[in-house]
Amino acid sequence: LWIQLHVDAETLQQASLWDLLDPVHDAGMRIASVRVVSVNLGTELIEKLAVVASETAGRTAIISSPGAQVLEALGDWLQVFATYQARLLIEPRSARETRQLYKVLRELIGGVLGISQVQENFPSTEHFLRVLTPYLQLTRNVQVSNYGEEGAARILTPGTYNNPLLLHTLVSRG
């Protein structure tokens, strides 16, 4: 079983590497990525995130809700993640943030940086696809969900989101 480990910046700062990873490994699960919500990620915390990511099966870290300081620091962060041979994905919250992120990422070469997108940040599948498809070459993670009138719904059943359309579009575009 592969999972995404969600941690907040405070937990990341205070917990040891093994406090974070051992319980997951002991339960027989593999970590695809480590996701942290950006609050104020300084250089020291970014390096710790890179170390944690490098010790997981997926070797990937995701920073959600990036601020302006994230875009300014990506060049430095690229070097940190390249050193630990891990990948860093940035998860924008809107179409505007996605455009800004893409402008920065296309200037940085190396394959270490990419984009993660969360379907729930957008009101419909069609809106999500309009934001997602222009940036597919840099998108490395897509978080999919679905809701019906009574709460959570099956992923492949049309509900709030039309995931069959989303998956068909993603597969057809490679």
Side-chain angles (χ1 to χ4, degrees), residues 86-163:
R87 179 180 298 156
L88 174 62
L89 307 180
I90 306 299
E91 198 171 83
R93 295 170 292 191
S94 67
R96 185 176 67 76
E97 282 184 5
T98 302
R99 282 189 302 277
Q100 290 172 336
L101 177 59
Y102 180 76
K103 286 178 186 175
V104 173
L105 289 180
R106 72 178 180 197
E107 301 297 322
L108 300 171
I109 305 294
V112 172
L113 301 173
I115 299 173
S116 173
Q117 290 282 16
V118 177
Q119 187 178 31
E120 289 181 16
N121 290 342
F122 302 92
S124 68
T125 300
E126 292 76 12
H127 186 119
F128 185 50
L129 283 169
R130 281 193 302 275
V131 173
L132 179 65
T133 53
Y135 311 109
L136 281 178
Q137 65 244 97
L138 288 176
T139 300
R140 305 288 183 257
N141 182 64
V142 177
Q143 186 173 323
V144 179
S145 56
N146 200 16
Y147 301 95
E149 293 178 14
E150 309 214 358
R154 291 175 169 250
I155 290 291
L156 293 177
T157 302
T160 300
Y161 298 107
N162 184 347
N163 290 327

Side-chain angles (χ1 to χ4, degrees), residues 62-102:
I62 299 172
I63 297 177
S64 179
S65 305
Q69 93 275 6
V70 169
L71 296 179
E72 295 168 10
L74 280 177
D76 295 332
W77 294 0
L78 166 75
Q79 298 305 317
V80 172
F81 275 81
T83 299
Y84 289 99
Q85 298 178 348
R87 179 180 298 156
L88 174 62
L89 307 180
I90 306 299
E91 198 171 83
R93 295 170 292 191
S94 67
R96 185 176 67 76
E97 282 184 5
T98 302
R99 282 189 302 277
Q100 290 172 336
L101 177 59
Y102 180 76

